[in-house]
Amino acid sequence: MNVSIEIGLLVSAFLIFCSILMSKTGYRFGIPTLLMFLLAGMLFGTDGLGIQFDDVSVAQHIGMVALCIILFTGGMDTKMEDIRPVLSPGVMLATSGVFLTTLFCGLFVYWVSGWQLHTGVGFTLIGSLLLAATMSSTDSASVFNILRSQQINLKHNLKPMLELESGSNDPMAYLLTIILIQCLQAGGVSGWEILWSFLLQFVVGIAGGYLLGRLSVWLINRVSLKNAELYSIMVLCFIFIIYCSVYLLKGNGYLAVYIAGMVIGNSRLFKKKEIGTFLDGMTWLLQIVMFLMLGLLVNPHEMLPVMLTAVLVSVFMTFVARPLSVWLSLLPFGRKITNKSKLFISWVGIRGAAPIIFATYPVMAQVDGASQIFNIVFFVTLISLLFQGMSLSWVARKLGLTEPLPEKEDNFGIELTEDVGSTLREVLCTEELLQRGRHIRELSLPEGTLVIMIKRGDRYIVPNGSLELMLGDRLLLMIHNV
């Protein structure tokens, strides 16, 4: 049936609008926002209101574009000073953790396949490992979204460790998926070929991401554009240039864009705030489109035959494979990471869009059992988002890993660009401060420090030295960086 562009746009806008309204309702009950988008797609899909969408290729390509921007934005938001103390364990979780999860879960799926009479599912050993590989990584979109939207403040640097793991483990899962598909199609790949592929993907991915990230910073800071909005478009172009260049060089494009995002986010960058705001909006839009599209792609009635297998795999992965891989991956760090922290890391093995996107690769490659792999991965993702996503903050509190959120210093809505050479800091006027002086000139502020504004209740005051301070005033200080 031919549909006009106007009808297509109307339906698309209506779907996104309804998904946003559903996500607001879900947020009130603690349901992860991204799960509501996924459910909205299923509601409007073939088995729901009847919207037909079955183009796996389009879904895969849109998912690739979305993952590039999500990973890049996550990298930009990752501060090196936060992840430096947890860099080694984060990398171990993103590499050996993914490999061990694939191994344990793949062996379990192969064992369950022996019950084909009861489960209706039968996979070879390589097919079982392929199924496990597609869902072996924690989903960056889901983890970033849940940790930040639920405003969980975690102890022991757990938040940067989890965000580092989820942002950097997709490349490992992608690589395992591609290699196992090649094994099924070619009838086997030698160990040396696998090792060389791993080394090439990671070395080219890391080096390409770093070098192209540095080049992007250099170009952005030296290209003088009359329209400031074009800087954000330029960064968007760089994301896809980095991904495609590294991919064509046989490297891992997903790893490259994440590394490049970290390089750019931790560099002095012209119009960084505006670029970050633009990418945050793009990330939300693409997350909505991606989860909504994946919900439309699946036919719920096709998941019924694999429901028992999916539940068994989900339970095993959550309570056995993920904890085992976490404990073994973090063994080299001894007692530096507490058992409660390891238990929480195990629970944050949330699946999301990335595993579903990776599950489309076997479908596109037309390997045996590809449709079963896709439906099992989708069902496991639903269970993971529902139970692990909803209980994340509760589990953190039960394990005693939460602490009060620091007060957010944003009462003035003012931000300086990095090239100013100064920083802003808010100070609350307390009894102790007032004992030093009732007027600004009596405070003996350090050299290079200036009170530029005061918030008193709902009023904003531009002060002078003779202004009398009152208890509860908020002072905005500009401090020159030496």
Side-chain angles (χ1 to χ4, degrees):
M1 180 177 66
N2 293 323
V3 178
S4 68
I5 185 65
E6 291 80 11
I7 296 296
L9 283 173
L10 177 63
V11 171
S12 300
F14 181 74
L15 283 175
I16 294 174
F17 175 72
C18 291
S19 301
I20 293 171
L21 293 183
M22 287 178 64
S23 72
K24 182 180 179 181
T25 304
Y27 184 80
R28 294 174 58 187
F29 295 98
I31 302 174
T33 306
L34 300 181
L35 174 61
M36 296 304 296
F37 296 143
L38 202 60
L39 293 175
M42 296 173 67
L43 175 65
F44 287 103
T46 305
D47 289 352
L49 297 181
I51 295 178
Q52 300 276 344
F53 178 74
D54 57 3
D55 196 326
V56 178
S57 177
V58 169
Q60 187 182 97
H61 293 152
I62 292 176
M64 180 201 72
V65 171
L67 282 177
C68 284
I69 294 176
I70 291 167
L71 288 169
F72 182 87
T73 306
M76 273 198 71
D77 291 339
T78 302
K79 304 303 177 189
M80 281 304 300
E81 59 266 25
D82 292 336
I83 69 165
R84 193 170 284 113
V86 296
L87 184 60
S88 296
V91 170
M92 286 295 290
L93 288 170
T95 52
S96 64
V98 171
F99 176 80
L100 290 171
T101 300
T102 299
L103 180 62
F104 297 143
C105 193
L107 292 174
F108 177 77
V109 171
Y110 184 61
W111 179 63
V112 169
S113 295
W115 308 349
Q116 187 170 1
L117 184 64
H118 304 286
T119 62
V121 173
F123 291 109
T124 63
L125 178 58
I126 301 298
S128 301
L129 291 170
L130 175 59
L131 168 59
T134 59
M135 54 184 178
S136 58
S137 67
T138 57
D139 183 62
S140 53
S142 301
V143 173
F144 289 157
N145 180 273
I146 291 172
L147 287 178
R148 293 172 186 179
S149 64
Q150 294 189 7
Q151 296 184 328
I152 304 171
N153 196 31
L154 299 170
K155 298 177 181 177
H156 312 312
N157 282 324
L158 281 174
K159 186 174 180 180
M161 186 192 301
L162 291 167
E163 291 188 344
L164 173 63
E165 180 204 5
S166 64
S168 57
N169 65 6
D170 285 343
M172 184 69 174
Y174 169 79
L175 184 56
L176 288 171
T177 300
I178 297 302
I179 287 175
L180 289 167
I181 288 174
Q182 290 173 352
C183 288
L184 285 173
Q185 290 180 326
V189 179
S190 71
W192 285 111
E193 288 177 316
I194 293 174
L195 181 60
W196 172 248
S197 182
F198 268 96
L199 288 175
L200 188 64
Q201 290 258 341
F202 277 90
V203 170
V204 175
I206 293 171
Y210 177 79
L211 294 174
L212 291 173
R214 298 296 299 176
L215 178 62
S216 301
V217 172
W218 185 84
L219 288 171
I220 292 168
N221 288 336
R222 282 161 178 77
V223 175
S224 180
L225 299 175
K226 298 298 183 183
N227 295 315
E229 295 79 6
L230 292 178
Y231 285 99
S232 299
I233 306 300
M234 184 185 295
V235 171
L236 193 64
C237 295
F238 284 144
I239 294 173
F240 299 116
I241 290 171
I242 292 167
Y243 174 85
C244 296
S245 300
V246 170
Y247 176 81
L248 292 173
L249 292 172
K250 307 298 182 184
N252 196 302
Y254 293 123
L255 181 60
V257 293
Y258 183 71
I259 297 293
M262 289 179 61
V263 170
I264 293 173
N266 287 276
S267 302
R268 293 175 64 89
L269 190 71
F270 188 63
K271 297 293 180 183
K272 181 188 280 188
K273 181 185 176 184
E274 290 81 357
I275 292 169
T277 302
F278 171 80
L279 288 176
D280 285 341
M282 283 293 296
T283 297
W284 266 111
L285 174 62
L286 288 168
Q287 284 180 160
I288 294 172
V289 170
M290 182 169 59
F291 277 81
L292 189 61
M293 174 195 64
L294 293 173
L296 289 170
L297 186 64
V298 73
N299 296 319
H301 75 271
E302 293 179 358
M303 292 194 292
L304 294 178
V306 300
M307 184 169 61
L308 176 59
T309 302
V311 171
L312 290 172
V313 170
S314 180
V315 170
F316 180 83
M317 180 174 281
T318 303
F319 295 104
V320 181
R322 169 71 176 175
L324 261 179
S325 65
V326 168
W327 248 266
L328 290 173
S329 298
L330 297 180
L331 268 180
F333 307 100
R335 297 184 179 180
K336 292 181 181 178
I337 302 173
T338 65
N339 287 333
K340 286 186 176 180
S341 296
K342 292 175 184 176
L343 192 60
F344 183 71
I345 293 169
S346 302
W347 190 249
V348 190
I350 301 172
R351 271 66 205 174
I356 302 175
I357 295 295
F358 293 155
T360 64
Y361 283 85
V363 177
M364 291 295 295
Q366 298 181 341
V367 303
D368 291 339
S371 61
Q372 289 183 326
I373 289 175
F374 181 84
N375 289 319
I376 290 172
V377 171
F378 195 98
F379 204 100
V380 169
T381 299
L382 283 179
I383 295 173
S384 178
L385 283 171
L386 184 61
F387 291 102
Q388 290 171 277
M390 287 181 65
S391 62
L392 208 61
S393 56
W394 179 83
V395 171
R397 286 194 300 269
K398 285 296 180 182
L399 293 173
L401 296 173
T402 59
E403 55 188 9
L405 281 166
E407 187 175 355
K408 190 174 182 181
E409 295 187 354
D410 193 22
N411 290 282
F412 295 88
I414 300 174
E415 186 171 338
L416 299 178
T417 58
E418 291 181 340
D419 53 350
V420 171
S422 299
T423 55
L424 297 178
R425 182 183 172 190
E426 295 182 22
V427 174
L428 180 65
C429 190
T430 60
E431 290 284 3
E432 182 182 357
L433 183 66
L434 291 175
Q435 288 175 6
R436 293 167 53 187
R438 287 273 175 182
H439 299 85
I440 293 176
R441 63 173 177 267
E442 299 170 355
L443 294 180
S444 301
L445 295 171
E447 186 178 352
T449 301
L450 182 68
V451 180
I452 60 173
M453 192 172 291
I454 294 175
K455 184 180 181 183
R456 180 173 294 166
D458 294 328
R459 295 172 55 214
Y460 292 90
I461 304 169
V462 178
N464 55 39
S466 61
L467 179 71
E468 183 176 357
L469 298 173
M470 298 180 64
L471 187 67
D473 282 353
R474 285 195 172 275
L475 283 61
L476 180 63
L477 308 182
M478 178 184 283
I479 305 169
H480 179 67
N481 298 328
V482 180

